[in-house]
Amino acid sequence: MPYPRAHLYMLGVIAVIITGFWPSYFAVAGNVPWQFHAHGIAASCWVLLVTAQSWTGHRKPQLPIHRVVGMASLFLFPFLTGGLAAIISIQAKNWVEREPLHLLYGPSFMIGTMVAMAAYVTVYYRALKFRRKVWVHAGYMLSTPLILFESPFSRAASFVVPAFKVNGPADFPRVMSSIEWSMAIELAIIAVIWLRVGERARPFLLTAGFIIVEMLAMGFAINFDVLRRFDTFIGNVPAATIVLTGFVIGAATSWLGWQVGKRATVPVGTSAVPA
């Protein structure tokens, strides 16, 4: 099976998530908006799911567990995209309400999260489509934690890197700098994977493409009036509508990906025609 040490990589991801989100989420979970819970719980479950898959996929006696966990992903994925939609909704509402950080970067946060959702949908769909090709399937599934890795990593980096530390509104520009550098590190991780396994790492290149788009979109979004107006529009749409839309997108991805990845069946009484 590919990537035999992937579970160690996933444990590292979990450590960064706990460290990065501890002050702003885990330590104050009782006092955060419900949108944070919708995203935080679903995303945390997804990371644990990928960790379980990477662990059980390398042990033959545990392959049945690996398959059960894979089936569970079909039902979890709509909650993952619904949680991302919840974050888009609250980001837009903060923009409309002129919250200081979102007043500076609201459209950037919105378009960045939308690109991340598009990346998740594309990568997971392809993971399901190619689930019978172990290197391809594993590459797509293991690339999913990279899509939003910049969020906890940039927060964790701000604790130890003075250039990223935010002490007040005057330091808000450092937030975007830490995000952009964190995405650059994601690209470096993908480059290392490519150097180690070569062409078999092609699924990670798709994720790298989305990360580059996200970097550019977040860096320049605030300069486009159409995105500022779109952020205002999203901020005035009921949160339930946005979340339901994200959930439906995720459910459609699970269903379509599962269907397209099914083995072709040959009708009884016929034989395959050689190519």
Side-chain angles (χ1 to χ4, degrees):
M1 294 291 286
Y3 307 109
R5 291 184 291 276
H7 61 283
L8 299 177
Y9 150 71
M10 290 304 305
L11 291 176
V13 170
I14 292 172
V16 171
I17 289 173
I18 293 174
T19 302
F21 284 123
W22 184 262
S24 62
Y25 180 67
F26 293 109
V28 293
N31 300 309
V32 300
W34 66 266
Q35 291 94 334
F36 285 16
H37 291 306
H39 171 60
I41 293 172
S44 297
C45 288
W46 184 266
V47 170
L48 292 174
L49 181 147
V50 176
T51 303
Q53 277 206 307
S54 65
W55 175 260
T56 57
H58 298 280
R59 292 159 180 80
K60 191 172 182 178
Q62 295 179 347
L63 285 179
I65 300 175
H66 179 84
R67 297 187 183 99
V68 169
V69 173
M71 291 294 294
S73 73
L74 296 169
F75 300 94
L76 178 58
F77 191 73
F79 291 95
L80 180 67
T81 52
L84 285 169
I87 293 299
I88 291 172
S89 176
I90 195 169
Q91 287 171 338
K93 291 186 185 303
N94 285 336
W95 161 259
V96 170
E97 294 170 3
R98 318 302 281 176
E99 189 274 332
L101 178 60
H102 288 80
L103 185 61
L104 184 62
Y105 292 124
S108 298
F109 294 153
M110 175 197 66
I111 196 66
T113 309
M114 287 182 171
V115 172
M117 183 189 291
Y120 266 117
V121 166
T122 304
V123 167
Y124 183 58
Y125 173 83
R126 293 183 68 80
L128 291 175
K129 179 178 180 179
F130 298 109
R131 61 184 180 269
R132 305 185 193 283
K133 298 181 179 181
V134 292
W135 275 96
V136 179
H137 173 75
Y140 281 126
M141 289 300 294
L142 288 171
S143 69
T144 57
L146 276 172
I147 294 170
L148 286 180
F149 183 69
E150 54 78 16
S151 188
F153 188 84
S154 62
R155 287 168 169 79
S158 69
F159 303 153
V160 295
V161 180
F164 297 152
K165 191 173 183 60
V166 176
N167 297 307
D171 297 325
F172 281 168
R174 296 180 177 181
V175 172
M176 187 57 64
S177 295
S178 66
I179 291 173
E180 295 285 349
W181 274 106
S182 296
M183 287 190 281
I185 290 173
E186 291 175 334
L187 295 176
I189 292 171
I190 291 173
V192 170
I193 295 172
W194 179 269
L195 289 174
R196 290 180 65 87
V197 301
E199 288 287 332
R200 290 175 293 187
R202 288 178 67 88
F204 288 96
L205 296 186
L206 178 61
T207 301
F210 276 107
I211 292 171
I212 292 171
V213 170
E214 187 177 2
M215 290 178 72
L216 294 173
M218 293 190 72
F220 297 101
I222 195 63
N223 298 320
F224 294 92
D225 183 62
V226 64
L227 292 179
R228 294 195 294 269
R229 286 188 277 112
F230 186 53
D231 207 2
T232 301
F233 169 77
I234 294 294
N236 286 295
V237 174
T241 301
I242 302 296
V243 174
L244 181 60
T245 300
F247 187 91
V248 170
I249 290 172
T253 302
S254 291
W255 188 85
L256 291 171
W258 182 259
Q259 295 300 317
V260 77
K262 286 182 176 179
R263 279 199 179 101
T265 57
V266 179
V268 177
T270 64
S271 59
V273 178

